[in-house]
Amino acid sequence: MKSLWSDADAETAVKRYGETGVPRELALRVYTTRLLGGEPRLVLHGGGNTSVKTTARDMLGEEVPVLCVKGSGWDMGNIEPPGLPAVRLEPLKKLLKLDTLSDEDMVNVQRCNLLDSAAPNPSVETLLHAFVPHKFVDHTHADAVLALTDQPNGPEICAEVYDGRMALVPYIMPGFGLAKAVHEIYAQNPKVEGLILLKHGIFTFGEDAREAYERMIAHVTRAEERLARAQRSVFPGVRLPNDIAAAHAVAPILRGLAAPAPGGDRTAAKRLIVEFRTSPEIRAFVDGADVADYSSRGPVTPDHVIRTKPKPVVAPAPHASDLDAFKQGAQAAFERFAKDYEAYFARNNPRAAPPRTQLDPIPRVVLVPGVGIFALGKSSKDAKIAADLAETTVNVITRAEQLGRFESISEADAFDVEYWSLEQAKLGKEQEKRLARHIAVVTGGASGIGRATAAAFKREGAEVALLDRDGEAVKKAAREIGALPVQCDVTDTASVRAAFDAVVTAFGGVDIVVSNAGAAWSGRIGEVDEKILRESFELNFFAHQKIAQAAVAVMRAQNLGGVLLFNASKQALNPGPDFGPYGLPKSATLSLMRQYAIDYGAEGIRANAVNADRIRTGLLTDLMIAERSKARNVSEKGYMSGNLLQREVTAGDVADAFVELALARATTGAIVTVDGGNIAAAVR
Ligand code: ZN
């Protein structure tokens, strides 16, 4: 690993932060924390921490010694000075006198000594930083160090590699106990440059930011060099099916299995989002004959268990031609996992005081031979974090096995971290949005009603995929909304299939589809060219069928019900003159919606439509509005609000109706009018 220290960059940071009053030492602390956090082989997602011992002025203007230490909730890769809150150092150091200190009391005393009462909670490893004398202290969970220490003979290997330059610390759960043990070990080895925390990570010390940082790089490099000499061949593979199934065929099945419905109502099951990963290294790992053994020995570093659970599920290799067999095999694996997880909780909970609340027995990482890793989380962001941790796990276990034998912390130690009182305290406090954990697809999503609808679903917490024919426009809209862009010609069967495969690969399935894409054709029906009529049917009817058909296939594989929403039109209910080419396929689409409601109601799939009218969009351009208002001899405003409520209806109004229909659990086969009131178009 190379040092990325740059004098010029360091001075730029000092200057930039200095402009807002941040002292030099803290600016450099931010600079090297970012260097460490930007390297995924050192830390991931909030892992690791750093500190600097300096002084700060209190309210009386007096200089007090403080520890600026990473606050929880901050990521080292993009930390800013407020992410390193200042804690009075002397009171922290006095805590050494205590024999024990609970995590709750530790958090309390740390908070009580913050200079800024609004600052985030200082790291749970704060006292460790406080109890060693060095000005700069850096801590990471470097992959190479983990591969070296996650071994039965880790202490011997580290003693050989580090030759007294680093002190070895046996595994102890982070908190007061670890901080105190580190202090004692350090007192006996005051010349060391840092600490190797067996089965946990590495600390380095320095008198300045550069020294602590470069010692981290040097000692991680030492571990990498030792691993490079370890060439034991690992993971002999199994024979895989010739017709291995694709990730997008596997993901919806796993997503359904990971959403148990205790009351039996599958449509109300609490679901997860799925993130898929594969690479040659992942494949070597999941395809190994003994994957169930080496993948199930525990976490590579303790804090992963909160997001990945102590073990993954290993599913069977899927045949594309027999997904039912895969589903049965995977279901049995999930059931075994749940039983084992409950037994693990029952074995370990009696030691815990107070007794803990059992977490759900659903895996967060699923290994599928021949395919890759499927990670699960309550949002796409969470699933991605779990997937990153799983990829790191693959890397560390692979290298540990090349060196010797991967060994994790004990089951009891893993339990203590997963069921940490500070984590348990967070349970049940989080308010989820109405469509959290749901995946919505919106066609014609780059503009107008589609775009407004996509934004509304996103606001309600759903993961959203935007489909649109215009590749550039859909990318731009998706970026602004925070959605997944998918270029798709909804009139082309192959394009629709590819789009759904992309959505399912990205999120694991589909719960809600808003089939919105459409365009208007006109012509007097007795004279219109048949070609125009057929073109309109392609987009305004057959495309809806293609989208609904592709969605239903995914929804049935998940077995979680689903929602099909169609953008109908006033024309479907109240045809206007010369608008046959538009109105006829829209009427057919209204019937299509009802047919889906009839044919799939028993599987919990609902189908509904919105009848919107006179919305300012690409279909109804400003030019058309001008022409029509002129023809009717009213103002444009008068034309647009020419309805019972006398108000212009917006794309946002239509979007809200789609959201409400997605949530209306007892409504199917319905048409909701969003037209400000047009009695001629009322459903009769
Ligand atoms: Zn740590």
Side-chain angles (χ1 to χ4, degrees):
M1 188 167 286
K2 287 215 161 55
S3 167
L4 300 176
W5 176 275
S6 142
D7 285 336
D9 290 354
E11 288 311 317
T12 305
V14 168
K15 188 159 174 272
R16 185 159 74 86
Y17 291 121
E19 283 163 8
T20 57
V22 173
R24 180 178 179 85
E25 282 173 344
L26 185 55
L28 291 171
R29 178 66 286 176
V30 171
Y31 169 62
T32 58
T33 301
R34 282 175 163 241
L35 288 185
L36 295 168
E39 172 51 79
R41 290 172 296 170
L42 292 175
V43 282
L44 286 173
H45 303 297
N49 41 63
T50 59
S51 68
V52 58
K53 296 180 184 76
T54 180
T55 57
R57 279 188 201 283
D58 66 9
M59 287 306 285
L60 300 171
E62 286 171 20
E63 290 260 313
V64 288
V66 293
L67 179 76
C68 293
V69 62
K70 203 199 90 165
S72 71
W74 281 86
D75 200 283
M76 282 170 65
N78 55 20
I79 203 157
E80 294 287 348
L84 289 149
V87 197
R88 290 170 194 273
L89 185 56
E90 293 311 317
L92 294 185
K93 279 161 70 174
K94 281 190 195 156
L95 295 172
L96 250 180
K97 283 190 265 181
L98 295 175
D99 290 326
T100 58
L101 180 66
S102 73
D103 290 328
E104 287 73 14
D105 287 343
M106 180 181 78
V107 169
N108 184 50
V109 73
Q110 287 174 183
R111 277 212 75 78
C112 285
N113 284 292
L114 285 165
L115 289 200
D116 174 2
S117 67
N121 272 340
S123 158
V124 293
E125 278 154 347
T126 293
L127 294 182
L128 195 163
H129 289 259
F131 292 170
V132 295
H134 304 85
K135 195 165 186 63
F136 285 81
V137 177
D138 294 12
H139 170 47
T140 73
H141 303 148
D143 291 8
V145 172
L146 294 175
L148 219 57
T149 71
D150 289 355
Q151 302 275 346
N153 59 340
E156 289 77 34
I157 299 169
C158 291
E160 174 213 313
V161 169
Y162 292 109
D163 197 22
R165 293 175 68 182
M166 301 287 274
L168 301 188
V169 181
Y171 179 77
I172 298 170
M173 182 167 162
F176 181 70
L178 174 62
K180 218 168 142 89
V182 159
H183 178 260
E184 280 160 27
I185 291 168
Y186 173 75
Q188 290 156 22
N189 306 273
K191 291 216 175 76
V192 293
E193 294 173 7
L195 310 162
I196 300 291
L197 271 56
L198 296 166
K199 297 180 176 174
H200 172 167
I202 171 173
F203 277 81
T204 52
F205 310 140
E207 286 321 301
D208 59 46
R210 182 174 185 171
E211 186 176 48
Y213 168 73
E214 292 198 327
R215 281 179 172 170
M216 177 65 71
I217 302 301
H219 290 303
V220 170
T221 303
R222 238 161 240 127
E224 286 178 337
E225 285 165 358
R226 178 64 190 88
L227 291 168
R229 287 193 279 125
Q231 293 298 343
R232 206 167 74 87
S233 92
V234 293
F235 311 153
V238 285
R239 259 185 83 91
L240 292 168
N242 290 329
D243 63 332
I244 198 85
H248 58 76
V250 170
I253 296 172
L254 298 178
R255 184 165 185 252
L257 294 175
D265 180 0
R266 299 286 303 151
T267 65
K270 213 166 195 190
R271 55 208 68 199
L272 295 167
I273 306 298
V274 183
E275 169 78 7
F276 172 63
R277 297 285 168 87
T278 196
S279 70
E281 197 189 10
I282 289 171
R283 283 291 306 278
F285 187 89
V286 302
D287 296 359
D290 300 322
V291 60
D293 167 32
Y294 53 74
S295 70
S296 301
R297 293 186 203 146
V300 298
T301 184
D303 72 1
H304 286 195
V305 292
I306 291 162
R307 290 184 177 276
T308 63
K309 299 213 180 252
K311 296 174 182 184
V313 151
V314 181
H319 286 266
S321 57
D322 195 357
L323 288 169
D324 281 343
F326 171 74
K327 187 173 177 176
Q328 279 173 22
Q331 184 165 0
F334 272 62
E335 283 165 5
R336 267 196 313 276
F337 179 94
K339 253 178 137 172
D340 289 351
Y341 187 82
E342 279 157 7
Y344 148 81
F345 180 78
R347 268 195 307 279
N348 290 283
N349 191 38
R351 286 187 298 108
R356 303 306 201 230
T357 304
Q358 196 205 293
L359 304 171
D360 69 66
I362 300 162
R364 293 298 187 273
V365 179
V366 185
L367 310 179
V368 182
V371 188
I373 293 173
F374 295 83
L376 300 113
K378 60 186 175 5
S379 63
S380 174
K381 184 174 165 240
D382 273 19
K384 283 189 161 92
I385 292 174
D388 286 347
L389 300 183
E391 278 204 63
T392 291
T393 301
V394 165
N395 178 30
V396 171
I397 295 179
T398 302
R399 292 161 84 184
E401 286 281 300
Q402 286 167 344
L403 178 69
R405 183 177 196 278
F406 168 67
E407 189 185 82
S408 175
I409 53 175
S410 71
E411 177 185 283
D413 285 332
F415 178 89
D416 289 348
V417 175
E418 189 181 3
Y419 284 88
W420 208 331
S421 58
L422 302 177
E423 287 295 322
Q424 289 263 305
K426 295 180 195 164
L427 292 178
K429 289 194 180 152
E430 195 187 22
Q431 263 286 335
E432 286 201 318
K433 292 184 177 168
R434 296 194 296 176
L435 288 172
R437 303 162 180 263
H438 287 73
I439 301 158
V441 174
V442 182
T443 74
S447 59
I449 289 171
R451 196 201 141 106
T453 302
F457 276 97
K458 186 78 195 173
R459 275 199 299 278
E460 297 290 346
E463 306 298 342
V464 177
L466 289 188
L467 273 53
D468 203 285
R469 196 172 47 179
D470 185 337
E472 282 313 307
V474 77
K475 264 190 226 159
K476 184 168 175 282
R479 201 167 41 239
E480 285 161 8
I481 294 169
L484 174 79
V486 184
Q487 185 180 16
C488 175
D489 174 359
V490 291
T491 63
D492 182 86
T493 306
S495 178
V496 168
R497 280 214 189 106
F500 273 80
D501 290 350
V503 174
V504 173
T505 305
F507 297 130
V510 172
D511 298 301
I512 302 155
V513 167
V514 182
S515 191
N516 161 69
W521 278 267
S522 56
R524 208 169 171 201
I525 199 68
E527 295 143 54
V528 72
D529 192 333
E530 186 177 311
K531 194 169 145 278
I532 287 175
L533 201 53
R534 284 186 186 276
E535 253 175 42
S536 181
F537 261 90
E538 280 302 331
L539 180 60
N540 292 318
F541 172 72
F542 282 107
H544 291 291
Q545 161 64 354
K546 289 182 210 293
I547 289 288
Q549 202 165 48
V552 162
V554 179
M555 289 169 181
R556 296 190 71 214
Q558 296 176 142
N559 188 23
L560 292 169
V563 186
L564 302 173
L565 300 172
F566 299 88
N567 188 354
S569 162
K570 186 208 90 152
Q571 295 300 321
L573 299 156
N574 171 218
D578 300 340
F579 250 128
Y582 182 56
L584 290 168
K586 282 287 190 183
S587 305
T589 296
L590 211 51
S591 296
L592 182 77
M593 175 275 283
R594 289 181 171 135
Q595 198 63 47
Y596 272 97
I598 294 164
D599 287 354
Y600 295 97
E603 295 180 49
I605 297 173
R606 298 186 285 112
N608 294 294
V610 167
N611 158 31
D613 189 27
R614 227 171 269 190
I615 317 287
R616 213 181 278 271
T617 66
L619 277 189
L620 179 61
T621 60
D622 289 346
L623 184 69
M624 287 159 74
I625 294 167
E627 280 171 9
R628 288 184 193 177
S629 48
K630 205 170 155 201
R632 285 173 174 77
N633 204 17
V634 291
S635 68
E636 284 183 25
K637 194 164 176 288
Y639 172 70
M640 290 307 286
S641 55
N643 54 45
L644 299 177
L645 296 173
Q646 299 180 13
R647 68 182 283 269
E648 180 172 342
V649 183
T650 66
D653 294 325
V654 184
D656 289 345
F658 278 126
V659 166
E660 294 310 322
L661 281 172
L663 290 162
R665 295 187 44 211
T667 302
T668 192
I671 306 159
V672 167
T673 54
V674 185
D675 56 7
N678 173 3
I679 216 66
V683 183
R684 63 198 96 180

